[in-house]
Coordinates of all heavy atoms in Angstrom, one line a residue:
M26 N -20.5 36.7 9.2 CA -19.2 36.8 9.8 C -18.8 35.6 10.5 O -17.6 35.1 10.3 CB -19.2 38.0 10.7 CG -18.0 38.3 11.4 SD -16.8 38.9 10.3 CE -15.5 39.4 11.4
R27 N -19.6 35.0 11.3 CA -19.3 33.8 12.0 C -19.1 32.6 11.0 O -18.2 31.8 11.2 CB -20.4 33.4 13.0 CG -20.3 34.2 14.3 CD -21.3 33.6 15.3 NE -21.2 34.4 16.5 CZ -21.9 34.1 17.6 NH1 -22.8 33.1 17.5 NH2 -21.8 34.8 18.7
A28 N -19.9 32.6 10.0 CA -19.8 31.5 9.0 C -18.5 31.5 8.3 O -17.9 30.5 8.1 CB -21.0 31.5 8.1
A29 N -18.1 32.7 8.0 CA -16.8 32.9 7.3 C -15.6 32.5 8.2 O -14.7 31.8 7.8 CB -16.6 34.3 6.8
L30 N -15.7 32.8 9.5 CA -14.7 32.5 10.4 C -14.7 30.9 10.6 O -13.6 30.3 10.7 CB -15.0 33.2 11.8 CG -13.9 33.0 12.9 CD1 -12.6 33.5 12.4 CD2 -14.3 33.7 14.1
V31 N -15.8 30.3 10.7 CA -15.9 28.8 10.9 C -15.3 28.2 9.6 O -14.6 27.2 9.7 CB -17.3 28.4 11.2 CG1 -17.5 26.9 11.0 CG2 -17.7 28.8 12.6
L32 N -15.7 28.7 8.4 CA -15.2 28.1 7.2 C -13.7 28.3 7.1 O -13.0 27.3 6.6 CB -15.9 28.8 6.0 CG -15.7 28.2 4.6 CD1 -16.2 26.8 4.6 CD2 -16.4 29.0 3.6
A33 N -13.2 29.4 7.4 CA -11.7 29.6 7.3 C -11.0 28.7 8.3 O -9.9 28.1 8.0 CB -11.4 31.1 7.6
S34 N -11.6 28.6 9.5 CA -11.0 27.7 10.5 C -11.0 26.2 10.0 O -10.0 25.5 10.2 CB -11.7 27.8 11.8 OG -11.3 26.9 12.7
F35 N -12.1 25.8 9.4 CA -12.2 24.4 8.9 C -11.2 24.2 7.8 O -10.5 23.2 7.7 CB -13.6 24.2 8.4 CG -13.8 22.8 7.8 CD1 -13.9 21.7 8.6 CD2 -13.8 22.7 6.4 CE1 -14.0 20.4 8.1 CE2 -14.0 21.4 5.9 CZ -14.1 20.3 6.7
F36 N -11.1 25.2 6.9 CA -10.1 25.1 5.8 C -8.7 25.0 6.3 O -7.9 24.2 5.8 CB -10.3 26.3 4.8 CG -9.4 26.2 3.7 CD1 -9.5 25.3 2.6 CD2 -8.3 27.1 3.6 CE1 -8.6 25.3 1.6 CE2 -7.4 27.1 2.6 CZ -7.6 26.2 1.5
T37 N -8.3 25.8 7.2 CA -7.0 25.8 7.8 C -6.7 24.5 8.5 O -5.6 24.0 8.3 CB -6.8 27.0 8.8 OG1 -7.1 28.2 8.1 CG2 -5.4 27.1 9.3
T38 N -7.6 24.0 9.3 CA -7.4 22.8 10.0 C -7.3 21.6 9.0 O -6.4 20.8 9.1 CB -8.5 22.5 11.0 OG1 -8.6 23.6 11.9 CG2 -8.3 21.2 11.8
S39 N -8.1 21.6 8.0 CA -8.0 20.5 7.0 C -6.7 20.6 6.2 O -6.1 19.5 6.0 CB -9.2 20.7 6.0 OG -10.4 20.5 6.7
T40 N -6.3 21.7 5.9 CA -5.0 21.9 5.2 C -3.8 21.4 6.0 O -3.0 20.7 5.6 CB -4.8 23.3 4.7 OG1 -5.9 23.8 3.9 CG2 -3.5 23.5 4.0
M41 N -3.8 21.8 7.3 CA -2.8 21.3 8.2 C -2.8 19.8 8.4 O -1.7 19.2 8.5 CB -2.9 22.0 9.6 CG -2.6 23.5 9.5 SD -1.0 23.9 8.8 CE 0.0 23.3 10.1
M42 N -3.9 19.2 8.5 CA -4.0 17.8 8.6 C -3.5 17.0 7.4 O -2.8 16.0 7.5 CB -5.5 17.3 8.9 CG -6.0 17.7 10.2 SD -5.0 17.0 11.6 CE -5.4 15.3 11.4
V43 N -3.8 17.6 6.2 CA -3.3 17.0 4.9 C -1.7 17.1 4.9 O -1.0 16.2 4.5 CB -3.9 17.6 3.7 CG1 -3.2 17.2 2.4 CG2 -5.4 17.2 3.6
V44 N -1.2 18.3 5.2 CA 0.2 18.5 5.2 C 0.9 17.6 6.3 O 1.9 16.9 6.0 CB 0.6 20.0 5.5 CG1 2.0 20.2 5.8 CG2 0.1 20.8 4.4
L45 N 0.3 17.5 7.4 CA 0.9 16.6 8.5 C 0.9 15.1 8.0 O 1.8 14.4 8.2 CB 0.1 16.8 9.8 CG 0.7 16.0 11.0 CD1 2.1 16.6 11.3 CD2 -0.2 16.3 12.2
G46 N -0.2 14.7 7.4 CA -0.3 13.3 6.9 C 0.7 13.1 5.8 O 1.3 12.0 5.8
A47 N 1.0 14.1 5.0 CA 2.0 13.9 3.9 C 3.4 13.8 4.5 O 4.2 13.0 4.0 CB 1.9 15.1 2.9
L48 N 3.6 14.6 5.5 CA 4.9 14.5 6.2 C 5.2 13.1 6.8 O 6.2 12.6 6.7 CB 5.1 15.6 7.2 CG 5.3 17.0 6.7 CD1 5.2 18.0 7.8 CD2 6.6 17.1 5.9
F49 N 4.1 12.6 7.5 CA 4.3 11.3 8.1 C 4.4 10.2 7.0 O 5.2 9.3 7.2 CB 3.1 11.0 9.0 CG 3.2 11.5 10.4 CD1 2.5 12.6 10.8 CD2 4.0 10.8 11.3 CE1 2.6 13.0 12.1 CE2 4.2 11.3 12.6 CZ 3.5 12.4 13.0
D50 N 3.7 10.4 5.9 CA 3.9 9.4 4.8 C 5.3 9.4 4.2 O 5.9 8.4 4.0 CB 2.8 9.7 3.7 CG 2.9 8.7 2.6 OD1 2.8 7.5 2.9 OD2 3.1 9.1 1.4
D51 N 5.8 10.6 4.1 CA 7.2 10.7 3.6 C 8.2 10.1 4.5 O 9.1 9.5 4.1 CB 7.5 12.2 3.3 CG 8.9 12.4 2.7 OD1 9.1 11.7 1.7 OD2 9.6 13.2 3.2
A52 N 8.0 10.3 5.8 CA 8.9 9.8 6.8 C 8.8 8.3 6.9 O 9.8 7.6 7.1 CB 8.6 10.4 8.2
S53 N 7.7 7.7 6.6 CA 7.5 6.3 6.7 C 8.1 5.6 5.5 O 8.3 4.3 5.5 CB 6.0 5.9 6.8 OG 5.3 6.2 5.6
R54 N 8.5 6.3 4.5 CA 9.0 5.6 3.3 C 10.5 5.5 3.3 O 11.2 5.1 2.4 CB 8.6 6.4 2.0 CG 7.2 6.4 1.7 CD 6.8 7.2 0.5 NE 5.4 7.3 0.4 CZ 4.7 6.9 -0.6 NH1 5.3 6.3 -1.6 NH2 3.4 7.0 -0.7
Q55 N 11.1 5.9 4.5 CA 12.6 5.7 4.6 C 13.0 4.3 4.6 O 12.2 3.4 5.0 CB 13.1 6.4 5.9 CG 12.9 7.9 5.9 CD 13.4 8.5 7.1 OE1 13.9 7.8 8.0 NE2 13.3 9.8 7.2
P56 N 14.1 4.0 4.0 CA 14.5 2.6 3.8 C 14.8 1.9 5.2 O 15.4 2.6 6.1 CB 15.7 2.6 2.9 CG 16.3 4.0 3.1 CD 15.1 4.9 3.4
W57 N 14.5 0.7 5.3 CA 14.8 -0.1 6.5 C 15.5 -1.4 6.1 O 15.4 -1.9 5.0 CB 13.5 -0.5 7.2 CG 12.7 0.7 7.7 CD1 11.7 1.4 7.0 CD2 12.9 1.3 8.9 NE1 11.3 2.4 7.8 CE2 12.0 2.4 9.0 CE3 13.7 1.1 10.0 CZ2 11.9 3.3 10.1 CZ3 13.7 2.0 11.1 CH2 12.7 3.0 11.1
L58 N 16.3 -1.9 7.0 CA 17.0 -3.2 6.8 C 16.2 -4.3 7.3 O 15.5 -4.2 8.4 CB 18.3 -3.1 7.4 CG 19.4 -2.2 6.9 CD1 20.6 -2.3 7.7 CD2 19.8 -2.7 5.5
R59 N 16.2 -5.4 6.6 CA 15.6 -6.6 7.2 C 16.5 -7.1 8.3 O 17.7 -6.9 8.3 CB 15.4 -7.7 6.1 CG 14.3 -7.4 5.2 CD 14.1 -8.5 4.2 NE 15.1 -8.3 3.2 CZ 15.7 -9.2 2.5 NH1 15.5 -10.5 2.8 NH2 16.6 -8.9 1.6
D60 N 15.9 -7.7 9.3 CA 16.6 -8.2 10.5 C 17.3 -9.5 10.2 O 16.7 -10.6 10.3 CB 15.7 -8.4 11.7 CG 16.5 -8.6 13.0 OD1 17.7 -8.4 13.0 OD2 15.8 -9.1 14.0
T61 N 18.5 -9.5 9.7 CA 19.3 -10.6 9.3 C 20.6 -10.6 10.1 O 21.1 -9.5 10.5 CB 19.6 -10.7 7.8 OG1 20.4 -9.6 7.5 CG2 18.3 -10.7 7.0
P62 N 21.3 -11.7 10.3 CA 22.6 -11.6 10.9 C 23.6 -10.8 10.2 O 24.4 -10.0 10.8 CB 23.1 -13.1 10.9 CG 21.8 -13.9 10.8 CD 20.9 -13.1 10.0
Q63 N 23.6 -10.8 8.8 CA 24.5 -9.9 8.1 C 24.2 -8.4 8.3 O 25.1 -7.6 8.4 CB 24.3 -10.2 6.6 CG 24.8 -11.6 6.2 CD 23.7 -12.6 6.3 OE1 22.5 -12.3 6.7 NE2 24.0 -13.9 6.1
A64 N 22.9 -8.1 8.4 CA 22.5 -6.7 8.6 C 23.0 -6.2 10.0 O 23.5 -5.1 10.2 CB 21.0 -6.5 8.4
R65 N 22.8 -7.1 11.0 CA 23.2 -6.8 12.4 C 24.7 -6.6 12.4 O 25.2 -5.7 13.1 CB 22.8 -7.9 13.3 CG 21.3 -7.9 13.6 CD 20.9 -9.0 14.6 NE 19.5 -9.0 14.8 CZ 19.0 -9.3 15.9 NH1 19.7 -9.5 17.0 NH2 17.6 -9.3 16.0
A66 N 25.5 -7.4 11.8 CA 26.9 -7.3 11.8 C 27.3 -6.0 11.1 O 28.2 -5.3 11.6 CB 27.6 -8.5 11.1
A67 N 26.7 -5.7 10.0 CA 27.0 -4.4 9.3 C 26.7 -3.2 10.1 O 27.5 -2.2 10.2 CB 26.3 -4.4 8.0
V68 N 25.6 -3.2 10.8 CA 25.2 -2.1 11.6 C 26.1 -2.0 12.8 O 26.5 -0.9 13.2 CB 23.7 -2.2 12.1 CG1 23.3 -1.2 13.1 CG2 22.8 -2.0 10.9
A69 N 26.5 -3.1 13.4 CA 27.4 -3.1 14.5 C 28.8 -2.5 14.1 O 29.4 -1.7 14.9 CB 27.6 -4.5 15.1
T70 N 29.2 -2.8 12.9 CA 30.4 -2.2 12.4 C 30.3 -0.7 12.2 O 31.2 0.1 12.6 CB 30.8 -2.8 11.0 OG1 30.9 -4.2 11.2 CG2 32.1 -2.2 10.5
C71 N 29.1 -0.2 11.8 CA 28.9 1.2 11.6 C 28.9 1.9 13.0 O 29.4 3.0 13.1 CB 27.6 1.5 10.9 SG 27.6 1.0 9.1
H72 N 28.3 1.3 14.0 CA 28.2 1.9 15.3 C 29.6 2.0 16.0 O 29.7 2.7 16.9 CB 27.2 1.2 16.2 CG 25.8 1.5 15.9 ND1 25.3 2.7 15.9 CD2 24.8 0.7 15.4 CE1 24.0 2.7 15.6 NE2 23.7 1.5 15.2
A73 N 30.6 1.3 15.5 CA 31.9 1.3 16.0 C 32.6 2.6 15.7 O 33.6 3.0 16.3 CB 32.7 0.1 15.6
H74 N 32.2 3.3 14.7 CA 32.8 4.6 14.3 C 32.6 5.6 15.4 O 31.6 5.7 16.0 CB 32.2 5.1 13.0 CG 32.6 4.3 11.8 ND1 33.8 4.2 11.2 CD2 31.8 3.5 11.0 CE1 33.8 3.4 10.2 NE2 32.6 2.9 10.0
A75 N 33.6 6.4 15.6 CA 33.6 7.4 16.7 C 32.8 8.7 16.3 O 32.0 9.2 17.1 CB 35.0 7.9 17.1
A76 N 32.9 9.1 15.0 CA 32.2 10.3 14.6 C 30.8 10.0 14.1 O 30.5 9.0 13.5 CB 33.0 10.9 13.4
R77 N 29.9 10.9 14.5 CA 28.5 10.7 14.2 C 28.3 10.7 12.6 O 27.5 9.8 12.1 CB 27.7 11.8 14.8 CG 26.2 11.7 14.5 CD 25.5 12.8 15.2 NE 24.0 12.7 15.0 CZ 23.1 13.4 15.6 NH1 23.5 14.4 16.4 NH2 21.9 13.2 15.4
E78 N 28.9 11.6 11.9 CA 28.7 11.6 10.5 C 29.3 10.4 9.8 O 28.8 9.9 8.8 CB 29.4 12.9 9.9 CG 29.0 13.1 8.4 CD 27.5 13.2 8.2 OE1 26.8 13.7 9.0 OE2 27.1 12.6 7.1
A79 N 30.4 9.8 10.4 CA 30.9 8.6 9.8 C 29.9 7.4 10.0 O 29.8 6.6 9.2 CB 32.3 8.3 10.5
R80 N 29.3 7.4 11.2 CA 28.3 6.4 11.4 C 27.1 6.5 10.5 O 26.6 5.5 9.9 CB 27.7 6.5 12.9 CG 28.7 5.9 13.9 CD 28.0 5.8 15.3 NE 27.5 7.0 15.8 CZ 28.1 7.9 16.6 NH1 29.3 7.6 17.0 NH2 27.5 9.0 17.0
R81 N 26.7 7.7 10.2 CA 25.5 8.0 9.3 C 25.9 7.6 7.9 O 25.1 6.9 7.2 CB 25.2 9.5 9.3 CG 24.3 9.8 10.4 CD 23.9 11.3 10.3 NE 22.6 11.5 10.8 CZ 22.0 12.6 10.9 NH1 22.6 13.7 10.4 NH2 20.8 12.7 11.4
S82 N 27.1 7.9 7.4 CA 27.4 7.6 6.1 C 27.6 6.1 5.9 O 27.3 5.5 4.9 CB 28.7 8.3 5.6 OG 29.8 8.0 6.4
C83 N 28.1 5.4 7.0 CA 28.3 4.0 6.9 C 26.9 3.3 6.9 O 26.7 2.4 6.1 CB 29.0 3.5 8.2 SG 29.3 1.7 8.3
L84 N 26.0 3.8 7.7 CA 24.6 3.2 7.6 C 23.9 3.4 6.3 O 23.2 2.6 5.8 CB 23.8 3.8 8.8 CG 24.1 3.3 10.2 CD1 23.4 4.1 11.2 CD2 23.9 1.8 10.3
R85 N 24.1 4.6 5.7 CA 23.6 4.9 4.4 C 24.1 3.9 3.4 O 23.4 3.4 2.5 CB 23.9 6.3 4.0 CG 23.0 7.3 4.6 CD 23.2 8.7 4.0 NE 22.6 9.7 4.9 CZ 23.3 10.7 5.5 NH1 24.6 10.9 5.3 NH2 22.7 11.6 6.2
A86 N 25.4 3.6 3.4 CA 26.1 2.7 2.5 C 25.5 1.3 2.7 O 25.3 0.6 1.7 CB 27.6 2.7 2.7
V87 N 25.3 0.9 4.0 CA 24.8 -0.4 4.2 C 23.4 -0.6 3.7 O 23.0 -1.6 3.0 CB 24.8 -0.7 5.8 CG1 23.9 -1.9 6.1 CG2 26.2 -0.9 6.2
V88 N 22.5 0.4 3.9 CA 21.2 0.4 3.3 C 21.2 0.4 1.8 O 20.4 -0.3 1.2 CB 20.3 1.6 3.9 CG1 19.0 1.7 3.2 CG2 20.1 1.4 5.4
A89 N 22.0 1.2 1.2 CA 22.1 1.3 -0.3 C 22.5 -0.1 -0.8 O 22.0 -0.5 -1.8 CB 23.1 2.4 -0.7
E90 N 23.5 -0.7 -0.2 CA 23.9 -2.0 -0.6 C 22.8 -3.1 -0.5 O 22.6 -3.9 -1.4 CB 25.1 -2.5 0.2 CG 25.7 -3.8 -0.2 CD 26.9 -4.2 0.7 OE1 27.6 -3.3 1.2 OE2 27.0 -5.4 1.0
A91 N 22.1 -3.0 0.6 CA 21.0 -3.9 0.8 C 19.9 -3.7 -0.3 O 19.3 -4.7 -0.8 CB 20.4 -3.8 2.2
Q92 N 19.6 -2.4 -0.5 CA 18.6 -2.1 -1.6 C 19.0 -2.6 -2.9 O 18.2 -3.2 -3.7 CB 18.3 -0.6 -1.6 CG 17.5 -0.1 -0.5 CD 17.3 1.3 -0.5 OE1 18.1 2.1 -1.0 NE2 16.1 1.8 0.0
A93 N 20.3 -2.5 -3.3 CA 20.8 -2.9 -4.6 C 20.7 -4.4 -4.6 O 20.3 -5.0 -5.7 CB 22.2 -2.4 -4.8
R94 N 21.1 -5.1 -3.5 CA 21.0 -6.6 -3.5 C 19.6 -7.0 -3.7 O 19.3 -7.9 -4.4 CB 21.6 -7.1 -2.2 CG 21.7 -8.6 -2.1 CD 22.4 -9.0 -0.8 NE 21.7 -8.5 0.3 CZ 22.2 -7.7 1.2 NH1 23.4 -7.2 1.1 NH2 21.5 -7.2 2.3
D95 N 18.6 -6.4 -3.0 CA 17.2 -6.8 -3.1 C 16.7 -6.5 -4.5 O 15.9 -7.3 -5.0 CB 16.4 -6.0 -2.0 CG 16.7 -6.5 -0.6 OD1 17.3 -7.6 -0.5 OD2 16.2 -5.9 0.3
A96 N 17.1 -5.4 -5.1 CA 16.7 -5.1 -6.4 C 17.2 -6.1 -7.4 O 16.5 -6.6 -8.3 CB 17.1 -3.7 -6.8
G97 N 18.4 -6.6 -7.2 CA 19.0 -7.6 -8.1 C 18.2 -8.9 -7.9 O 18.0 -9.6 -8.9
M98 N 17.8 -9.3 -6.7 CA 17.1 -10.5 -6.4 C 15.7 -10.4 -7.1 O 15.2 -11.4 -7.6 CB 17.0 -10.7 -4.9 CG 18.3 -11.1 -4.3 SD 19.0 -12.6 -4.9 CE 18.0 -13.8 -4.1
S99 N 15.1 -9.2 -7.0 CA 13.8 -9.0 -7.7 C 13.9 -9.2 -9.2 O 13.0 -9.8 -9.8 CB 13.2 -7.6 -7.4 OG 13.0 -7.5 -6.0
R100 N 14.9 -8.6 -9.8 CA 15.1 -8.8 -11.2 C 15.3 -10.3 -11.6 O 14.8 -10.8 -12.6 CB 16.3 -7.9 -11.7 CG 15.9 -6.5 -11.9 CD 17.0 -5.7 -12.4 NE 18.0 -5.7 -11.3 CZ 18.9 -4.8 -11.2 NH1 19.1 -3.8 -12.0 NH2 19.7 -4.8 -10.1
L101 N 16.1 -11.0 -10.8 CA 16.4 -12.4 -11.0 C 15.1 -13.2 -10.9 O 14.9 -14.0 -11.7 CB 17.4 -12.9 -10.0 CG 17.9 -14.3 -10.2 CD1 18.6 -14.4 -11.6 CD2 18.9 -14.7 -9.1
A102 N 14.3 -12.9 -9.9 CA 13.0 -13.6 -9.8 C 12.1 -13.3 -10.9 O 11.3 -14.2 -11.3 CB 12.4 -13.2 -8.4
A103 N 12.1 -12.1 -11.5 CA 11.3 -11.8 -12.6 C 11.7 -12.5 -13.8 O 10.9 -12.8 -14.7 CB 11.3 -10.3 -12.8
L104 N 13.0 -12.8 -14.0 CA 13.5 -13.5 -15.1 C 13.3 -15.0 -15.1 O 13.3 -15.7 -16.1 CB 15.0 -13.2 -15.3 CG 15.3 -11.8 -15.7 CD1 16.9 -11.7 -15.7 CD2 14.7 -11.4 -17.0
A105 N 13.1 -15.5 -13.9 CA 12.9 -17.0 -13.7 C 11.6 -17.4 -14.3 O 10.6 -16.7 -14.2 CB 13.0 -17.3 -12.2
P106 N 11.6 -18.6 -15.0 CA 10.3 -19.0 -15.6 C 9.4 -19.4 -14.5 O 9.8 -20.0 -13.4 CB 10.7 -20.2 -16.4 CG 12.0 -20.7 -15.9 CD 12.7 -19.4 -15.3
S107 N 8.1 -19.1 -14.7 CA 7.1 -19.5 -13.7 C 6.7 -20.9 -13.8 O 7.0 -21.6 -14.9 CB 5.9 -18.6 -13.8 OG 5.2 -18.8 -15.0
W108 N 6.0 -21.5 -12.9 CA 5.6 -22.9 -12.9 C 4.6 -23.1 -14.0 O 4.5 -24.2 -14.6 CB 5.0 -23.3 -11.6 CG 6.0 -23.4 -10.5 CD1 6.3 -22.5 -9.5 CD2 7.0 -24.5 -10.3 NE1 7.3 -23.0 -8.7 CE2 7.8 -24.2 -9.2 CE3 7.2 -25.6 -11.0 CZ2 8.8 -25.0 -8.8 CZ3 8.3 -26.5 -10.6 CH2 9.0 -26.1 -9.5
E109 N 3.9 -22.1 -14.4 CA 2.8 -22.2 -15.4 C 3.5 -22.4 -16.8 O 2.9 -22.9 -17.7 CB 1.9 -21.0 -15.4 CG 1.1 -21.0 -14.1 CD 0.9 -19.5 -13.7 OE1 1.3 -18.6 -14.4 OE2 0.3 -19.4 -12.6
D110 N 4.7 -21.8 -17.0 CA 5.4 -21.9 -18.3 C 6.1 -23.2 -18.5 O 6.5 -23.5 -19.6 CB 6.4 -20.7 -18.3 CG 5.8 -19.4 -18.3 OD1 4.6 -19.3 -18.6 OD2 6.5 -18.4 -18.1
R111 N 6.2 -24.0 -17.5 CA 7.0 -25.3 -17.6 C 6.1 -26.3 -18.3 O 4.9 -26.4 -18.0 CB 7.5 -25.7 -16.3 CG 8.5 -24.8 -15.7 CD 9.0 -25.3 -14.5 NE 10.0 -24.3 -13.9 CZ 10.9 -24.6 -13.0 NH1 11.0 -25.8 -12.5 NH2 11.7 -23.7 -12.6
P112 N 6.7 -27.2 -19.1 CA 5.9 -28.2 -19.7 C 5.4 -29.3 -18.8 O 5.9 -29.5 -17.7 CB 6.8 -28.8 -20.8 CG 8.1 -28.3 -20.5 CD 8.0 -27.2 -19.5

């Protein structure tokens, strides 16, 4: 009886730890902006909105634009010839 109770307790605690870890992992994958003067100016513009939802949608648009720009730069870098390919 005690062994079953200890085993059930261990299983429940382990499951909760895995779920909590997954939640923290998911939260840490949220997009962030690099600290640049352009990003600071864009965020300041978003904070000037009076409504909370307007600020949120503005920040989402700023982050999406930065992600698209970074993705474009990554594609451009991938297309550039490497130093090893040059004669």
Side-chain angles (χ1 to χ4, degrees):
M26 176 72 171
R27 280 188 179 180
L30 185 59
V31 169
L32 188 61
S34 173
F35 178 76
F36 178 73
T37 303
T38 303
S39 299
T40 303
M41 292 303 293
M42 290 299 292
V43 168
V44 169
L45 187 61
L48 288 173
F49 273 105
D50 182 55
D51 184 50
S53 70
R54 292 176 191 245
Q55 293 182 0
W57 296 93
L58 289 175
R59 284 182 280 145
D60 189 17
T61 62
Q63 295 85 3
R65 286 181 184 218
V68 170
T70 302
C71 290
H72 283 298
H74 293 290
R77 182 178 184 174
E78 190 55 40
R80 286 191 303 266
R81 279 185 148 176
S82 64
C83 179
L84 288 172
R85 284 187 193 121
V87 167
V88 170
E90 182 182 325
Q92 285 178 328
R94 184 178 56 245
D95 290 348
M98 294 297 284
S99 296
R100 280 183 289 206
L101 184 62
L104 293 175
S107 67
W108 289 102
E109 295 142 4
D110 293 342
R111 293 184 184 199

